[in-house]
């Protein structure tokens, strides 16, 4: 009977220990064997035999685990690392290269009121942006390609695919400075509102002057930038020659652009003030036209319009400021563009915009490399933001002078860091067309659902 009891106890000990991790297994077995020996259930000889067997089993187990770990490490040594935090990035383990598919979708619902201007109201929807592309790096070299498949693009008149970014870049660090050179089509070195991505704009539409012929966004050429490592100051310059269309640029006039920004005050990235300025000059020989819709991308009539004329050249400058103070932010920009007619007087187009926003849920506008970026909600309930903007634009032309003011109020909801729902109301005031005040003031109620990756 004692032999049977001893055998059952030993078997139970071995079984229970087998259910534990390797280290806990050995420690539990050693403790149980000591108890059995001290109680006289097993002899000292049996105790030593079982203790030595357990130690040998542990060594075999650890050796087997080490071998499996080695085999897994060898098998996965050349496999890429995949990051999925709000984006999909595939990179090698040494950080020598990475690849990221990118894109954005923006669907708008729009209801305009032309206020008896004679133009037709718009009540409908629009796929404003549908972009697909990729970006990445190979050692110190970078690349990016992105195209917009939404019909209409910025002009609203073309159904062709629009090339946005298509460039190769080289970037590195020199002491505490970071430098970068882009060759291809990219953002030129000019403007704040123009360069802030549509993914991160506070409102559905940019100010009238931004991303237009008086503050161009992307052109094909070379752009160089130099910045302090924490981007407390940034200078950039570019020499470009129009946008890529059909594989090449049609423009014969070159554009030189330059921009500088600096941060005179920074407590941290959520409490700072940044000031910027830019200069742009264009060569002659091109036809020029500035025209802009008032309240939505689907306005039937562009009341602000210079008509088309040939220019000997053009000069422009912009001054901007941005402040972030926790959940509150403010931004202002002034743009002045002068086009020199080949025949007739110059045309001066000036505009400015001032905006302010506040996160009701405590988030802060994200500042990144001198511009704004996306935000991450503080909770799973998402983030809420309210905002307002006032803007004005004036076309000073002896033959065709236009002027307008506009208010925009907005409500933004961020369910996640990559999605946003937007509600905007735009109202034009003090509108002058062809030098005369008019009695209509168009308005629009607009909604957007957007996602990006």
């Amino acid at each position: 009977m004692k032999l049977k009891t001893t055998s059952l106890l030993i078997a139970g000990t071995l079984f229970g220990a087998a259910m534990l991790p390797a280290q806990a297994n050995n420690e539990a077995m050693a403790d149980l064997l000591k108890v059995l020996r001290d109680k006289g259930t097993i002899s000292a000889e049996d105790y030593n035999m079982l203790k030595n067997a357990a130690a040998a089993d542990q060594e075999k187990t650890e050796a087997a685990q080490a071998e499996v770990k080695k085999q897994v490490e060898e098998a996965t040594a050349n496999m890429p690392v995949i990051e999925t935090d709000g984006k999909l990035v595939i990179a090698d383990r040494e950080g020598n290269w990475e690849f990221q598919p990118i894109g954005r979708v923006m669907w708008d619902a729009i209801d305009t009121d032309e206020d008896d201007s004679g133009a037709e109201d718009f009540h409908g929807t629009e796929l404003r942006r549908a972009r697909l592309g990729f970006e990445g790096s190979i050692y110190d070299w970078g690349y990016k390609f992105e195209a917009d498949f939404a019909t209409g693009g910025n002009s609203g008149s073309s159904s062709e695919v629009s090339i946005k970014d298509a460039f190769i870049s080289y970037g590195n660090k020199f002491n505490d400075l970071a430098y970068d050179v882009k060759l291809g089509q990219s953002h030129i070195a000019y403007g704040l509102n123009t360069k802030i991505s549509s993914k991160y704009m506070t409102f559905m539409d940019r100010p009238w002057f931004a991303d237009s012929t008086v503050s161009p966004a992307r052109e094909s050429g070379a752009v160089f930038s130099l910045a302090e490592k924490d981007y407390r100051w940034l200078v950039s310059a570019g020499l470009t020659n129009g946008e890529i269309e059909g594989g090449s640029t049609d423009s014969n006039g070159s554009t030189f652009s330059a921009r500088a920004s600096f941060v005179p005050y920074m407590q941290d990235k959520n409490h700072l003030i940044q000031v910027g300025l830019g200069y742009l000059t264009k060569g002659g020989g091109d036809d020029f036209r500035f025209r802009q819709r008032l309240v939505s991308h689907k306005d039937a009539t562009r009341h602000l319009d210079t008509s088309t004329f040939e220019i000997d050249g053009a000069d422009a400058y912009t001054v901007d400021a941005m402040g972030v103070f926790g959940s509150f932010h403010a931004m202002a920009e002034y743009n002045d563009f002068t086009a020199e007619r080949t025949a007739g007087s110059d045309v001066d187009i000036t505009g400015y915009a001032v905006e302010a926003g506040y996160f009701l849920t405590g988030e802060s506008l994200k500042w990144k490399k001198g511009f704004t970026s996306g935000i991450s909600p503080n909770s799973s309930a998402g983030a809420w933001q309210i905002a307002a903007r006032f803007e004005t634009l004036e076309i000073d032309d002896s033959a065709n002078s236009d002027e307008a003011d506009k208010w925009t109020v907005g409500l933004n909801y961020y369910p996640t860091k990559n999605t946003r729902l937007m509600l905007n109301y735009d109202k034009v005031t003090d509108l002058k067309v062809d030098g005369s005040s008019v009695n209509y003031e168009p308005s629009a109620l607009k909604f957007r659902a957007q996602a990006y990756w």
Side-chain angles (χ1 to χ4, degrees):
M1 179 65 69
K2 185 175 182 180
L3 178 60
K4 289 183 180 181
T5 303
T6 301
S7 299
L8 288 173
L9 288 171
I10 294 173
T13 300
L14 294 174
F15 178 77
M19 302 302 294
L20 299 171
Q23 184 175 355
N25 182 330
N26 188 62
E27 292 177 355
M29 180 176 289
D31 292 340
L32 288 172
L33 289 175
K34 284 181 181 179
V35 171
L36 294 174
R37 180 199 61 185
D38 294 342
K39 289 180 178 270
T41 306
I42 59 174
S43 64
E45 182 179 356
D46 289 339
Y47 168 76
N48 291 330
M49 178 187 68
L50 292 172
K51 179 182 177 183
N52 293 334
D57 287 341
Q58 182 185 11
E59 291 177 1
K60 291 180 181 179
T61 300
E62 292 177 348
Q65 290 176 340
E67 180 63 24
V68 171
K69 182 179 180 181
K70 179 181 177 181
Q71 292 178 0
V72 171
E73 290 177 348
E74 291 176 351
T76 60
N78 297 321
M79 292 181 64
V81 177
I82 300 177
E83 179 186 344
T84 59
D85 183 16
K87 56 186 177 180
L88 179 63
V89 180
I90 304 171
D92 75 331
R93 294 180 180 273
E94 287 73 33
N96 296 324
W97 62 266
E98 68 175 37
F99 175 84
Q100 178 185 352
I102 58 175
R104 71 192 72 171
V105 175
M106 298 180 181
W107 176 87
D108 295 353
I110 304 167
D111 187 351
T112 70
D113 179 5
E114 289 292 342
D115 195 26
D116 298 324
S117 68
E120 184 179 355
D121 295 343
F122 180 83
H123 312 288
T125 63
E126 176 191 24
L127 184 60
R128 179 66 183 274
R129 295 178 179 90
R131 297 187 188 178
L132 291 174
F134 54 85
E135 64 181 358
S137 63
I138 304 173
Y139 294 97
D140 295 330
W141 292 86
Y143 57 88
K144 183 177 181 181
F145 176 83
E146 188 175 26
D148 197 342
F149 295 86
T151 57
N154 287 334
S155 66
S157 60
S158 171
S159 61
E160 297 180 358
V161 174
S162 174
I163 303 299
K164 295 303 178 182
D165 290 305
F167 64 81
I168 296 173
S169 65
Y170 180 82
N172 210 320
K173 294 183 178 180
F174 178 73
N175 294 330
D176 290 335
L177 304 179
Y179 64 87
D180 180 77
V181 181
K182 294 178 181 177
L183 301 174
Q185 178 156 298
S186 66
H187 274 284
I188 68 171
Y190 188 80
L192 176 64
N193 279 283
T194 294
K195 191 171 180 180
I196 291 175
S197 172
S198 60
K199 298 182 295 186
Y200 311 131
M201 297 187 311
T202 305
F203 303 94
M204 291 173 58
D205 295 309
R206 291 182 171 89
W208 285 320
F209 62 82
D211 196 6
S212 69
T213 52
V214 300
S215 180
R218 294 175 174 87
E219 291 191 358
S220 181
V223 177
F224 172 80
S225 64
L226 179 69
E228 192 178 24
K229 64 179 181 179
D230 59 359
Y231 285 84
R232 285 185 177 242
W233 61 260
L234 166 68
V235 293
S236 56
L239 184 61
T240 53
N241 190 25
E243 288 188 74
I244 294 175
E245 295 180 5
S248 63
T249 58
D250 296 329
S251 175
N252 293 317
S254 296
T255 300
F256 171 78
S257 58
R259 173 174 166 78
S261 65
F262 65 98
V263 180
Y265 167 78
M266 177 185 282
Q267 176 181 325
D268 52 49
K269 288 189 176 182
N270 295 331
H271 300 82
L272 60 90
I273 296 174
Q274 176 181 286
V275 179
L277 54 92
Y279 173 74
L280 178 148
T281 183
K282 295 178 68 70
D286 289 341
D287 286 338
F288 173 83
R289 185 179 191 181
F290 172 80
R291 55 179 182 166
Q292 188 60 275
R293 297 175 173 89
L294 291 179
V295 293
S296 84
H297 190 245
K298 297 300 291 184
D299 288 0
T301 301
R302 305 188 192 195
H303 297 283
L304 302 175
D305 192 350
T306 64
S307 71
T308 302
F309 56 89
E310 188 176 344
I311 61 172
D312 275 335
D315 295 281
Y317 69 89
T318 180
V319 179
D320 59 77
M322 175 171 58
V324 180
F325 304 95
S327 297
F328 174 81
H329 88 272
M331 188 184 304
E333 183 173 6
Y334 174 82
N335 189 83
D336 188 311
F337 184 96
T338 301
E340 301 175 9
R341 271 196 175 101
T342 55
S345 60
D346 297 346
V347 177
D348 193 39
I349 304 169
T350 59
Y352 69 86
V354 180
E355 73 170 59
Y358 183 78
F359 281 95
L360 302 173
T361 44
E363 291 78 8
S364 179
L365 189 72
K366 187 176 180 180
W367 177 85
K368 183 177 181 181
K369 297 183 178 180
F371 299 93
T372 62
S373 186
I375 69 120
S376 297
N378 289 336
S379 74
S380 59
W384 289 90
Q385 180 190 33
I386 54 174
R389 179 177 69 197
F390 175 78
E391 61 182 295
T392 186
L393 188 132
E394 181 178 357
I395 301 173
D396 186 3
D397 183 355
S398 58
N400 180 20
S401 296
D402 299 332
E403 185 178 348
D405 298 338
K406 183 173 73 170
W407 285 93
T408 303
V409 293
L411 176 66
N412 297 323
Y413 172 59
Y414 301 77
T416 68
K417 65 191 300 183
N418 292 82
T419 58
R420 178 167 57 162
L421 304 179
M422 309 176 71
L423 184 65
N424 285 185
Y425 176 73
D426 291 44
K427 177 67 174 180
V428 171
T429 59
D430 299 327
L431 178 61
K432 293 181 180 179
V433 178
D434 296 333
S436 300
S437 297
V438 296
N439 58 2
Y440 49 84
E441 297 180 342
S443 61
L445 183 64
K446 302 177 292 187
F447 170 81
R448 170 173 293 170
Q450 76 171 50
Y452 68 89
W453 56 92

